């Protein structure tokens, strides 16, 4: 299986590149944001709790996210692989994900990080907020808090996978196709496919 983590701060282009990766490699997309939003839309207890946290720029508890991912792994046990989009966000989550995958005799194949500076992220998210309808994409203070949350808690995850020899950084600014070419080259070089 190809188990890929697409990594980067909010607004780095993970959603755009995920779609292209999924189409090319036929991977199952595991976006914690999408999983959480579907719970919110369904009005579940978990969804309502998640909405309160997300509206305040706070991460949802690990055990909730890991449980949702476990359900998806079971549901798609015959898939050629998975793309993890927006997860793991902390070293603790990365360790929990490794432990979960081990139960399925799997592991993370590669982590690809899209690197984008904070000013570009702010501009992208405000622009996305004009059409997304997401309140966390329309408020400069909330966007700044999300970026700061990423910088404080999520960046160390890159070091975790770097130590395992599974980390590659790619410039996330530029033409979408050029960025995608760099991603496919990274996957090819890793000998995963």
């Amino acid at each position: 299986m190809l188990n890929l983590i697409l990594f980067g701060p909010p607004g780095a282009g993970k959603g755009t590149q995920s779609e292209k990766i999924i189409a090319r490699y036929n991977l199952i997309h595991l976006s914690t944001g999408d999983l959480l939003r579907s719970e919110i839309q369904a009005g579940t207890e978990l969804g309502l709790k998640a909405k309160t946290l997300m509206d305040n720029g706070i991460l949802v508890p690990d055990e909730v996210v890991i449980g949702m991912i476990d359900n998806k792994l079971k549901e798609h046990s015959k898939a050629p692989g998975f793309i993890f989009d927006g997860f793991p966000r902390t070293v603790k989550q990365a360790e929990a994900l490794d432990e979960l995958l081990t139960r399925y005799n799997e592991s993370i194949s590669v982590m690809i990080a899209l690197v984008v500076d904070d000013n570009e992220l702010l501009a992208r998210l405000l622009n996305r907020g004009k059409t997304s309808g997401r309140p966390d994409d329309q408020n400069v203070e909330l966007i700044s808090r999300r970026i700061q949350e990423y910088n404080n808690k999520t960046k160390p995850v890159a070091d975790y996978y770097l130590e395992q020899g599974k980390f590659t950084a790619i410039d996330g600014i530029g033409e979408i196709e050029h960025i995608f070419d760099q991603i496919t080259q990274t996957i090819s070089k890793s000998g995963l496919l």
Side-chain angles (χ1 to χ4, degrees):
M1 272 189 179
L2 170 60
N3 295 311
L4 182 148
I5 296 172
L6 190 58
F7 190 72
K14 295 184 300 292
T16 299
Q17 293 300 330
S18 287
E19 289 175 13
K20 298 180 79 54
I21 294 166
I22 291 161
R24 168 77 58 93
Y25 300 105
N26 199 29
L27 302 178
I28 300 297
H29 186 222
L30 290 179
S31 164
T32 53
D34 289 347
L35 290 171
L36 290 167
R37 281 187 284 279
S38 69
E39 294 281 342
I40 290 167
Q41 192 172 20
T44 67
E45 184 179 333
L46 171 64
L48 296 173
K49 180 179 178 185
K51 183 179 185 335
T52 301
L53 294 170
M54 290 167 67
D55 285 350
N56 288 296
I58 299 169
L59 296 177
V60 175
D62 295 350
E63 62 275 3
V64 173
V65 178
I66 288 288
M68 290 189 301
I69 290 171
D70 189 19
N71 289 339
K72 289 294 181 185
L73 293 174
K74 288 175 192 164
E75 184 181 333
H76 300 284
S77 62
K78 303 293 186 205
F82 295 88
I83 180 168
F84 296 89
D85 173 4
F87 188 87
R89 293 184 178 194
T90 65
V91 171
K92 185 178 172 191
Q93 288 178 352
E95 292 168 348
L97 180 59
D98 280 354
E99 186 179 307
L100 176 62
L101 289 171
T102 299
R103 285 190 247 150
Y104 293 92
N105 295 316
E106 290 294 333
S107 64
I108 293 300
S109 308
V110 64
M111 170 191 263
I112 298 174
L114 299 175
V115 180
V116 179
D117 69 66
D118 290 357
N119 290 332
E120 176 69 14
L121 294 172
L122 181 62
R124 286 182 183 186
L125 289 168
L126 286 172
N127 191 46
R128 184 172 82 182
K130 294 174 185 173
T131 57
S132 73
R134 291 176 50 181
D136 58 340
D137 283 348
Q138 298 169 17
N139 179 306
V140 172
E141 185 179 320
L142 278 179
I143 291 170
S144 296
R145 191 178 311 151
R146 288 165 61 205
I147 293 169
Q148 190 61 42
E149 182 93 351
Y150 169 82
N151 288 333
N152 291 340
K153 294 183 180 175
T154 310
K155 274 185 161 178
V157 178
D159 293 332
Y160 176 82
Y161 288 104
L162 183 63
E163 288 173 16
Q164 295 181 17
K166 297 178 179 180
F167 175 84
T168 299
I170 291 176
D171 186 356
I173 298 177
E175 294 294 319
I176 291 169
E177 285 303 321
H178 176 70
I179 295 166
F180 182 62
D181 286 344
Q182 291 179 70
I183 291 170
T184 59
Q185 288 172 25
T186 298
I187 292 169
S188 295
K189 285 179 192 172
S190 65
L192 301 169
L193 296 176

